[in-house]
Amino acid sequence: MAVLLAPSAEACTSAPCSPWWTRFPLPKDAVVPANVPALVMVSPGGWPIVDARTLRLRTEDDTGVEATLLPGPLGSGVLVPAAPLVPGTRYHLEGRDPCLGESEEGPPETATFTAGPAAALPTATGTLQAGQEEHGPFQVWGGGSCSVGVEGSQVTLGFTPAPELVPFLPWVHWTLEVDGKPWATAPHGAVDAAGTLGMLDRLRFPHALFSVYSVCETVPDQQPPSDLGLEEGTHVATLRPVLEQSGTPLPPLEVSFKLTCMEKDPVPVPNDSQDKGCSQTGGGLSLLGALAALGLWRRGWKQGVAVGAFMVGGGLALPPSAQACGGPICQAKKFHAPLPTDASVPANVPALVVLSSNGYEADSGNLRLRTEDGADVEATFLPGPHGSGLVVPAAPLVPGTRYHLEASNLCGRYPQEPGTLETSFTADPAVALPAASGTLRAGPEQNATFPVWGGSLCSVDVEGRTVTLGFTPAPELVPFLPWVHWTLEVDGKPWATAQHGAVDAAGNVMPPDRFAYPHDLLTVYTVCKVLPDQQAPSDQGLAPGKHVATLRPVLEQSGTPLPPLEVSFELKCPDEVPEVPEDKGCTQAGGGLTAFGLLATLRLWRRTKRP
């Protein structure tokens, strides 16, 4: 009998060098401040290193511009003009593609821009805030595996750049420290004017700049990652931006956040006598009995499914790609109102919302709104989109009054213990309902390795092309964002949705529950290549070519519709590079593994709690 190694046991190497990874962080027809301290050619993966000696800056009439050429951080090449650029002049910047070998010839990478008036070098960075803690599945990148599925706690940081910093963002690189230790880096131009981080090669930048996490549990049939993230508890994040070659330092930004691991709700142990499924021949041990022996039915929503798929047909092990992926159980703790602690709510808010847990509905019949002295507030209670529950006050709230929004019997229709929710807030003066949505733009197309979620598999790692959309909410919309839900259409067809409160004041999107929301609201992609030993996903993303994205926000129960926003983008798969055959290494075969030995083997795939 052959023993199959889990994919996590395979060595992971980064994708081959691609010219799409090397670029000048400038949009088409860019306008550059005449006093820009330095121009940069970025190698987003940090390798291969850009040869700064090949950088050239010329005017449109082909006159060379005197400059100093330097190696820069994260494999970049830096060009420092000897004098300020001339406003109104058109310039051409070029550099050798580092993907070419020493003896190879090829066209240079180029960028064209116009010098604008000089602008004061920035002395302010902006603002940094910590979003709500989220619990659920996500991928940990790096180490011996490309990525490993885990469950844990995540916090997304929201960054809003200072207006004076925005013109210089293409030449700013970034470090995020947590408790004084480096956590993540990002190359020049990785953060746009909305504070959104572009797509990076996750094998070279395994930590996203604005996401911090703690691994609470590993997923069955996955080798525990070497990177378990941060410890549970309260931490301080420090964002350090550096404007390349500027003599004016940018101040760092700090924010505190907390990560906690949630206890899993127990799942009832099935009665062995009701097992009508397959059994392991020759061993006298039924499938369900084996699971009970391992104690896997008590370990949450994935454990039994994974091992159940693993033991079939006389004890033969199926590869993990053959496993079915099931969703999580109802958890009362995950129902919540999209409001921060001690929130202030406009008195004329059209509706209040209680969000569902993992797709399990919040029963509107169990909602209640009271004042601090216990008086009920007259309201209509309705089921809402995404399984939410809505509270529509019969009259505007009273400014200065403290209110309590309550929900009871959460998960009451399921085997779990029912739970309750209470959120308190204060009513503020009424403000005009928003009539504007904001702005939407498309970031540069990026080559990336990423997981595709959904289908019969939890996720499949692929290589493809991605575009991140940047959204900046209109100021008049910001006070009402907790009660806005979202749809992104591509070419008139739904691509992604997001619950109420998923988008913050900086336009950042909170990490979604991947089983309910497999597509990120502001990321579009096409799958170009499935990674080795991965089953092709049923979701191939968008077809390569030009597309139009339409973002549709809806303020719950508002009679004033919000206008949709549109932006065009393009996705193109690069030409395939012939693969060099690799030595797949040794396999273990034979041995006649007994049922008892099989159980011992299966223990290697048991979910392991973080120490």
Side-chain angles (χ1 to χ4, degrees), residues 261-302:
C261 287
M262 299 176 64
E263 289 297 324
K264 289 286 182 182
D265 292 333
V267 179
V269 179
N271 188 335
D272 281 358
S273 64
Q274 297 176 353
D275 176 19
K276 303 298 183 182
C278 302
S279 62
Q280 181 185 9
T281 59
L285 186 63
S286 70
L287 170 61
L288 212 50
L291 296 178
L294 287 173
L296 297 179
W297 284 108
R298 295 184 177 272
R299 291 187 168 267
W301 57 271
K302 290 184 185 175

Side-chain angles (χ1 to χ4, degrees), residues 82-176:
L85 305 179
V86 180
T89 301
R90 191 84 166 155
Y91 290 88
H92 298 288
L93 181 61
E94 65 179 45
R96 187 176 189 273
D97 175 11
C99 290
L100 297 173
E102 290 290 338
S103 59
E104 291 182 276
E105 296 294 333
E109 294 285 311
T110 61
T112 302
F113 63 90
T114 302
L121 292 179
T123 57
T125 300
T127 60
L128 186 68
Q129 59 271 347
Q132 292 181 336
E133 183 184 15
E134 299 283 340
H135 295 89
F138 56 91
Q139 299 288 112
V140 171
W141 294 83
S145 305
C146 290
S147 64
V148 176
V150 299
E151 292 185 36
S153 167
Q154 295 184 90
V155 169
T156 298
L157 306 180
F159 170 62
T160 303
E164 64 195 81
L165 178 61
V166 170
F168 295 92
L169 282 173
W171 309 285
V172 175
H173 64 93
W174 307 82
T175 299
L176 184 75

